[in-house]
Amino acid sequence: MPLRPKMSDQLRSLLDSVDHIKPIKKDTFLFSEGEIADELYIIKSGRIQIGKLSPDGRELSLRICNKDDIVGELSLYSENVKYILNAKIMEDGEVAVIKKSELEEELINNSGLAIEFMKIMNEYYRRDQTRFRDLVLHGKKGALYSTLIRLSNSYGKKLENGDIFIDIILTNQQLANFGGTSRESVNRMLNELKRNNILSTKKGNIIIHDLQHLRDEINCENCPVVLCSIH
């Protein structure tokens, strides 16, 4: 099953009619909470982390966006919309910039594309909602386990022995941000999982030996992979 919402050739062609291409630099922000959201972006290269800062300064990461992902505030036909999330750049690259006003005009003239775009927006919202649900229902431990499951769906490569190699390197602090918790808490939980042979690490990559254990611990509902991912 695809990890991104499926898009028709016609809608993809519309979104490819970009205003301009913008370079992005690691450790800067494409946009921040509170800024006017008058543009959408399609990632051409690089990676972008979408998240939010809590009032006490903690960082909560929701997803990692990659090539061809749509990034931005997806609400259309509303005035003075502001970003409610931050987009922090993880790797240098480029994004295609789409003016929301121009996109809105095109969608008004094509009801079929408008409906398709709304479905894609809904899928992005549902993905974020499942992340918040995991945080609320399962606490710090469940948030980490959920993150590991989502990483396996997004970046997992199955090895010959059945283990799952996570083909992206995240620091313990970055993993902690996906649960809105501290690096120290994640260190303790990861060490416990290593002691119980649930996972191990190799040169910074995580290898999951017992994915079912993680699923059982959070009463995994076997959501569609398109929702249960870190993308």
Side-chain angles (χ1 to χ4, degrees), residues 23-200:
I24 55 175
K25 295 295 181 183
K26 182 179 178 180
D27 294 329
T28 63
F29 286 86
L30 180 60
F31 55 80
S32 300
E33 295 177 58
E35 294 178 352
I36 296 295
D38 57 358
E39 296 175 334
L40 290 175
Y41 307 92
I42 297 179
I43 300 176
K44 294 300 183 182
S45 60
R47 282 192 177 121
I48 297 177
Q49 176 182 290
I50 304 299
K52 192 171 183 64
L53 286 176
S54 67
D56 60 3
R58 287 181 300 155
E59 187 175 352
L60 174 61
S61 301
L62 292 177
R63 61 183 183 273
I64 296 172
C65 298
N66 301 272
K67 186 177 185 297
D68 294 330
D69 280 332
I70 301 173
V71 179
E73 177 53 55
L74 298 179
S75 298
L76 298 180
Y77 306 109
S78 300
E79 295 183 1
N80 300 318
V81 174
K82 296 183 179 180
Y83 292 111
I84 60 174
L85 300 170
N86 300 311
K88 186 176 182 180
I89 298 162
M90 301 176 68
E91 295 177 0
D92 291 355
E94 292 182 332
V95 294
V97 182
I98 302 172
K99 295 293 184 182
K100 288 177 69 174
S101 58
E102 296 175 9
L103 177 61
E104 289 169 349
E105 185 174 345
E106 291 291 338
L107 293 179
I108 284 176
N109 296 322
N110 191 320
S111 59
L113 287 186
I115 291 172
E116 182 183 351
F117 190 79
M118 284 189 290
K119 288 180 179 178
I120 290 174
M121 289 192 296
N122 182 58
E123 205 151 282
Y124 276 103
Y125 286 134
R126 289 179 64 200
R127 193 177 299 174
D128 287 345
Q129 286 170 352
T130 59
R131 286 288 300 143
F132 284 122
R133 178 201 63 192
D134 291 344
L135 289 171
V136 171
L137 294 181
H138 303 298
K140 296 177 182 179
K141 181 177 178 180
L144 175 62
Y145 289 13
S146 169
T147 297
L148 292 171
I149 293 169
R150 289 168 185 271
L151 284 169
S152 75
N153 288 333
S154 298
Y155 297 100
K157 293 186 176 180
K158 198 161 188 178
L159 305 179
E160 289 184 0
N161 64 358
D163 291 347
I164 299 174
F165 178 84
I166 306 300
D167 194 20
I168 184 175
I169 295 177
L170 297 176
T171 66
N172 286 4
Q173 182 60 62
Q174 287 173 318
L175 287 173
N177 291 344
F178 276 104
T181 186
S182 67
R183 179 175 55 84
E184 292 76 16
S185 294
V186 166
N187 289 346
R188 287 194 297 271
M189 290 186 284
L190 287 177
N191 286 333
E192 181 180 357
L193 290 171
K194 290 176 183 178
R195 285 194 299 270
N196 293 326
N197 200 36
I198 306 301
L199 59 76
S200 59

Side-chain angles (χ1 to χ4, degrees), residues 194-219:
K194 290 176 183 178
R195 285 194 299 270
N196 293 326
N197 200 36
I198 306 301
L199 59 76
S200 59
T201 56
K202 183 177 181 180
K203 296 182 179 179
N205 292 94
I206 294 173
I207 302 171
I208 299 177
H209 308 305
D210 190 350
L211 183 63
Q212 191 58 48
H213 172 83
L214 301 177
R215 289 174 170 165
D216 291 342
E217 286 292 302
I218 62 170
N219 299 314

Side-chain angles (χ1 to χ4, degrees), residues 9-21:
D9 291 340
Q10 191 177 4
L11 180 57
R12 186 171 297 280
S13 177
L14 172 59
L15 295 178
D16 282 342
S17 303
V18 300
D19 186 75
H20 63 279
I21 301 295

